[in-house]
């Protein structure tokens, strides 16, 4: 039997296969962060995944980092997400919400009243970001005070609660890609001299506090975390990522999380070999997988489940294609973040092609 199609328990859920859809920002929400009707169609089409992880969703308004990205901070946003989870559940699928607070990877034009983005330290991201008014330079962020950090942690707690109320089966903390949690973890963006900065024990504090709040609110068996050591995206740099992530993952054990999701992009060290033995929950591997690699990761026991990104954009029936060995449609990068249905809900299934 194909190893991808054996059942697996992840947290409190039994998944029908080990193929997970990666969290992918698709920018199909309105300017208030409310997912449009297209979003329910899109995720419903992909419900044959063992588990869908939603695109990054801002837990609090100040966590928004890109145009047309969705939130889970208002009743209107929750109601729209309920349509999405209903569509997935109606087709027998499971879906977690990825909570993504972009921190300094944002811009005043994306935030209410032109607010300054928040970060551990007042260190700006080098480069430019795409806003409603085209490309603009990143700005120097506001360094969070201790009181403000507590409010952000509380924001994650409330967001986890709202995600569950909107029908999600769990939440994933986005602690990769240079966003707020990774800004705390990394020496390049965190130069605080209080209990949130300096030695690794302090730099992991924010992530652990966020996890503790979410676990307290909805249970560790409905919480996962994504990390990407050495990804170096969004100008994130850490002086000693091996130490940072080893220490972080050791600390995760206490939470009995549903899973640890590790996506590596050009890492210079075998993090999977180092981290997997440190973690007691399910271990998910993603990035640049194909059918053969995915199958061997499962059959060798290196991963409990495998995460596919762009292949799921272009192939709503990816599990069926992996089972049958059918050809995969190629994803069109031009429509990754474009508004509207094109390149979003119009990729054909095998039966539509026939
Ligand atoms: C269009 C697009 C949007 C993405 N947005 C997110 C995101 O919101 N959160 C996240 O954790 N990763 C995001 N990623 C990264 C994917 O989750 C995944 O790690 C990456 O695509 C590698 O997997 P793949 O090679 O199978 O595509 C995005 C990737 C793509 C292609």
């Amino acid at each position: 039997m194909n190893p991808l199609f054996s059942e697996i328990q992840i947290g409190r859920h039994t998944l029908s296969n080990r193929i997970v859809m990666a969290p992918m920002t698709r920018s199909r929400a309105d300017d208030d962060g409310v997912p449009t009707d297209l979003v329910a169609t899109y995720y419903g089409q992909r419900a044959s995944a063992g588990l869908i992880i939603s695109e990054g969703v801002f837990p609090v308004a100040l966590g928004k980092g890109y145009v047309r990205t969705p939130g889970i901070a208002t009743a209107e946003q929750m109601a729209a997400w309920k349509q999405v989870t209903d569509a997935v559940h109606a087709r027998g699928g499971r879906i977690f919400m990825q909570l993504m607070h972009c921190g300094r990877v944002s811009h005043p034009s994306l935030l209410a009243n032109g607010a300054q983005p928040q970060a551990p330290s007042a260190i700006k991201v080098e480069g430019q970001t795409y806003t409603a008014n085209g490309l603009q330079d990143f700005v120097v962020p506001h360094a969070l005070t201790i009181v403000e950090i507590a409010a952000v942690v509380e924001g994650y707690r409330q967001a986890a609660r709202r995600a569950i109320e909107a029908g999600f089966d769990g939440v994933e903390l986005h602690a990769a890609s240079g966003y707020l949690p990774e800004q705390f973890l990394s020496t390049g963006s965190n130069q605080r001299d209080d209990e949130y900065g300096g030695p690794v024990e302090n730099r992991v504090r924010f992530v652990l506090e966020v996890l503790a709040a979410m676990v307290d609110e909805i249970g560790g068996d409905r919480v996962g975390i994504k990390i990407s050591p050495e990804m170096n995206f969004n100008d994130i740099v850490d002086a000693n990522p091996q130490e940072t992530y080893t220490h972080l993952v050791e600390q995760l054990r206490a939470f009995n999380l549903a899973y640890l999701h590790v996506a590596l992009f050009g890492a210079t060290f075998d993090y999977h070999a180092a981290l997997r033995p440190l973690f007691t929950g399910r271990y998910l591997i993603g990035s640049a997988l194909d059918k053969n690699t995915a199958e061997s990761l499962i059959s060798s026991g290196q991963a409990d489940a495998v995460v596919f990104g762009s292949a799921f954009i272009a192939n709503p029936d990816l599990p069926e294609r992996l089972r049958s060995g059918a050809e995969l449609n190629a994803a069109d990068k031009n429509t990754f973040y474009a508004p509207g249905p094109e390149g979003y809900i119009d990729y054909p299934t095998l039966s539509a092609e026939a």
Side-chain angles (χ1 to χ4, degrees), residues 22-25 56 98 100 174 226 263 265 287-288 308-310 336-337:
M24 286 179 290
T25 292
Q98 187 187 58
M100 171 168 105
H174 192 355
K226 181 182 185 188
F265 303 85
S287 112
F308 286 87
S310 44
F336 275 2
Y337 310 108

Side-chain angles (χ1 to χ4, degrees), residues 116-131:
Q116 202 180 358
Q118 300 181 326
S121 300
I123 302 169
K124 99 181 165 76
V125 183
E126 280 309 317
Q128 295 193 307
T129 185
Y130 180 76
T131 72

